[in-house]
Amino acid sequence: MSEAADAIAFENVTLALGGRAVLAGVSFAIRAREFVGMLGPNGAGKTTLMRAVLGLLRPQNGVIRVLGRPSTHGNPAIGYMPQIRSRVAGLRLSGWDFVAATWRGHRLGLPHLGRDGRREVAWALEMVGAQDLAHRPLAETSGGEQQRLLLAQALIGRPRLLLLDEPLISLDPHRQREVVALARSLQTELGIAVLFSAHEINPLLGAIDRVLYLGQGQAALGTVDEVITGPVLSRLYGAPIEVVRLGGRIFVMSDGHDMERDMHRHDTAHAGCHDPSHEIHHA
Amino acid sequence: MLDYDFMRHAFAAAGIVAVVGGLVGYFLVLRAQTFAGHALAHVGFTGATGAVLVGISPLAGLVLLTVAAGIGMGFLGERLAERDVAIGIVLAFSLGLGLLFLHFFTAYAAQATALLFGNVLAVSGWTVWTLLGLGIVTIAGLAVISRPLLFASLQPELAEAKGVSLRLYGVLFLALVALATAECAEIVGVLLVFALMVGPPATAQGLTSKLGSGLLLSVLIALAEAWLGITLAYYTDWPSSFWITTLSAAAYLATRPKISFARA
Ligand SMILES: Nc1ncnc2c1ncn2[C@@H]1O[C@H](COP(=O)(O)OP(=O)(O)OP(=O)(O)O)[C@@H](O)[C@H]1O
Ligand SMILES: [Mg+2]
């Protein structure tokens, strides 16, 4: 496999769920070792796109290539941090056991780690600075600490592509910047590609190489300056959008409302919920 | 007291069942599926009374119907909310059906009580061997699937992405839960299966956050509760199931004072 192969390449891809096209004829390519932020309103298809990259959802049309090969289910080269983490908060199990369950977790037999497994778990915990969380029950860790453990879990197996679905959910701005910086440093240090979905562009500014913006079944990939513009976002939101830059921050406005903020206010409580009533209807 | 055959049988049967319940129950609590375990026990009641009706052994009916129901429940679906409603309906229906079967056998009130609340002091030598066989099958099955099961229980979305079939392990696990439930029902009865399958693992998970120690502790607590319960029953002449459930509840509450007071 050539080193230069794109991490993720979509060619005219249509993804449908429940008979409805979530993405329609989308093409883009995320390069190897690229850190891409993925944005878009609730229901734009961020999670769906990641599931398609993981081979959990077959495209209705088009081709998805991952690290130079057609996407397959169970690809060990992909690390994944899912958006739904409801199971984590109440667990009485230690962070170590939680991360360790990922080590060759698909094999039959007893969950015995062995020396290689122990080394791998220790390495992953160290990469995210979570060594001191290893022996505490998950139920007694904070949201930000759980995020680190989930990140460690995604690193098990040394992936070359990392899919992080909404790692910033329910974190305060300070912790958000920490997680972004951590993801960025993992990306540089390990030389891997990272696709990082988020609700708001601002915490990602300065860290991401490019941004992938989804909306109305379409996608736009480019630098922040290329994509976060009135004309591009108006097309993706299907409504007139104005982009305001103020003191190093970017505000995506429609009719005087900050779209990115308005749209995701409910989201901490309903992370991963697919209730159609959560979709925003534009006047 | 071990001079008596029936006491030796009781200790052996309770020991086998405690090990099985402690291990399977650990995963049941980890997966937050205790309600499913409870429901399976009730289905077992129907199986046992139905078996008496058609003239086969109650234990056979118990095992057959709980395993069938466990597999069915596993296929029912992943959505938790829906699952609870479906389980609740199956649970009530099967108890009702069991009652109807019982209705045809009014003479067997004692047998019904034994099914519902267990009577470990009446376990025969043959039953002990059957329990041992079932126990070995259950534990071997759990050992084979424990690794992917753990992964799927802790991080279902990630496990699925890595190629672990959530449906397959969900079904296999509930089949094992059904087997364990049928065994526990033999000791504490279908209504009190929680005492051996949920109490000890929940207590263990409150005491240690390590997986290995948790499993071991869960088994030891179940063993202690079962054997101590039988001993107390022998000396007091009160029902053994009462003692086992009391010990189970006491151990759980004693190990988490914060929770029992804060949420009571
Ligand atoms: N199982 C399903 N069946 C039918 N439609 C679904 C299913 N899952 C998701 N959808 C729909 O697909 C669309 C894309 O959902 P997806 O979860 O990918 O959005 P998202 O961008 O990740 O949103 P969020 O920001 O809320 O996480 C939504 O309109 C959603 O309602
Ligand atoms: Mg999503």
Side-chain angles (χ1 to χ4, degrees):
Chain A
M1 212 179 298
S2 91
E3 277 291 351
D6 286 326
I8 301 175
F10 272 47
E11 284 162 36
N12 193 27
V13 171
T14 297
L15 298 177
L17 277 176
R20 206 169 59 84
V22 178
L23 293 182
V26 164
S27 300
F28 63 85
I30 292 173
R31 297 186 280 260
R33 299 173 188 188
E34 196 171 22
F35 189 95
V36 172
M38 176 158 61
L39 288 123
N42 287 131
K46 303 181 290 295
T47 301
T48 306
L49 186 149
M50 287 189 181
R51 288 178 61 84
V53 171
L54 289 162
L56 291 170
L57 175 69
R58 285 194 177 285
Q60 204 175 48
N61 202 0
V63 179
I64 300 176
R65 296 181 72 81
V66 177
L67 301 161
R69 293 183 183 174
S71 64
T72 52
H73 184 191
N75 187 341
I78 310 178
Y80 177 44
M81 175 170 166
Q83 179 178 2
I84 306 171
R85 299 153 206 155
S86 50
R87 296 280 299 113
V88 180
L91 280 174
R92 305 285 324 159
L93 218 55
S94 72
W96 173 278
D97 284 316
F98 182 67
V99 175
T102 318
W103 171 252
R104 298 186 175 157
H106 59 286
R107 294 196 185 171
L108 289 176
L110 294 171
H112 179 67
L113 270 185
R115 196 191 303 158
D116 286 354
R118 278 198 299 276
R119 199 183 303 140
E120 185 76 5
V121 173
W123 168 81
L125 286 170
E126 193 189 319
M127 286 306 291
V128 302
Q131 299 98 313
D132 49 334
L133 300 176
H135 301 291
R136 284 176 35 204
L138 279 159
E140 290 170 18
T141 55
S142 75
E145 291 167 340
Q146 286 166 13
Q147 227 79 319
R148 280 175 188 273
L149 290 169
L150 287 155
L151 209 48
Q153 222 175 22
L155 291 177
I156 296 284
R158 317 260 169 153
R160 289 189 292 137
L161 167 64
L162 210 49
L163 306 177
L164 308 178
D165 202 356
E166 313 261 4
L168 303 184
I169 269 183
S170 75
L171 297 184
D172 61 45
H174 177 68
R175 292 268 175 266
Q176 289 192 349
R177 269 187 299 278
E178 269 183 18
V179 169
V180 172
L182 175 61
R184 175 80 220 196
S185 78
L186 287 174
Q187 183 271 327
T188 337
E189 206 168 318
L190 302 174
I192 59 178
V194 174
L195 182 60
F196 187 120
S197 81
H199 278 151
E200 235 205 311
I201 184 73
N202 287 305
L204 298 175
L205 287 177
I208 50 175
D209 296 317
R210 292 196 293 168
V211 56
L212 175 65
Y213 217 115
L214 307 184
Q216 300 279 85
Q218 302 181 51
L221 177 65
T223 61
V224 171
D225 288 339
E226 285 163 1
V227 172
I228 313 286
T229 63
V232 173
L233 293 191
S234 298
R235 177 166 64 87
L236 294 176
Y237 277 93
I241 296 283
E242 211 184 329
V243 173
V244 180
R245 283 158 201 267
L246 202 69
R249 292 172 65 81
I250 298 179
F251 299 92
V252 177
M253 314 286 279
S254 168
D255 279 342
H257 292 292
D258 183 340
M259 295 294 282
E260 289 187 335
R261 268 182 193 286
D262 284 359
M263 214 155 279
H264 302 298
R265 190 152 293 154
H266 60 272
D267 219 66
T268 37
H270 297 283
C273 192
H274 289 314
D275 184 342
S277 66
H278 290 172
E279 285 172 45
I280 302 297
H281 299 283
H282 305 282
Chain B
M1 78 189 152
L2 287 176
D3 290 342
Y4 299 102
D5 255 359
F6 77 92
M7 283 308 283
R8 279 201 299 275
H9 291 161
F11 269 86
I16 294 162
V17 167
V19 173
V20 173
L23 290 174
V24 174
Y26 188 90
F27 285 90
L28 197 66
V29 171
L30 200 64
R31 289 171 65 85
Q33 280 188 317
T34 51
F35 187 48
H38 189 62
L40 284 174
H42 287 62
V43 173
F45 177 68
T46 317
T49 50
V52 173
L53 199 63
V54 300
I56 58 173
S57 99
L59 182 57
L62 201 69
V63 169
L64 285 178
L65 207 64
T66 44
V67 171
I71 291 171
M73 256 181 221
F75 276 113
L76 260 181
E78 285 106 64
R79 285 190 54 190
L80 206 68
E82 263 174 39
R83 204 170 58 190
D84 274 3
V85 172
I87 290 172
I89 289 169
V90 170
L91 186 156
F93 174 63
S94 59
L95 259 189
L97 207 57
L99 182 70
L100 178 70
F101 293 161
L102 211 61
H103 174 75
F104 297 120
F105 274 89
T106 36
Y108 286 90
Q111 192 158 16
T113 315
L115 278 173
L116 289 172
F117 298 105
N119 187 3
V120 70
L121 301 183
V123 167
S124 67
W126 182 82
T127 306
V128 173
W129 286 110
T130 312
L131 288 176
L132 183 65
L134 287 174
I136 288 171
V137 169
T138 313
I139 292 174
L142 188 65
V144 170
I145 67 164
S146 59
R147 187 176 195 132
L149 179 69
L150 182 70
F151 192 14
S153 309
L154 295 181
Q155 245 321 11
E157 284 77 22
L158 181 58
E160 189 187 19
K162 295 282 182 184
V164 175
S165 164
L166 302 182
R167 171 69 55 91
L168 175 69
Y169 290 104
V171 169
L172 287 178
F173 178 63
L174 278 182
L176 293 175
V177 172
L179 271 180
T181 305
E183 290 167 69
C184 288
E186 203 59 27
I187 305 302
V188 285
V190 293
L191 290 182
L192 307 177
V193 161
F194 257 44
L196 283 177
M197 292 240 310
V198 178
T203 306
Q205 285 178 22
L207 289 175
T208 173
S209 60
K210 289 207 188 82
L211 177 70
S213 338
L215 279 163
L216 185 67
L217 206 57
S218 173
V219 168
L220 292 179
I221 293 170
L223 269 177
E225 288 172 2
W227 282 343
L228 199 59
I230 293 175
T231 310
L232 287 169
Y234 179 81
Y235 287 111
T236 58
D237 208 25
W238 292 6
S240 54
S241 298
F242 163 76
W243 284 118
I244 296 174
T245 49
T246 303
L247 290 169
S248 172
Y252 178 75
L253 293 178
T255 52
R256 50 188 62 206
K258 271 176 286 183
I259 292 179
S260 58
F261 285 114
R263 302 211 179 140

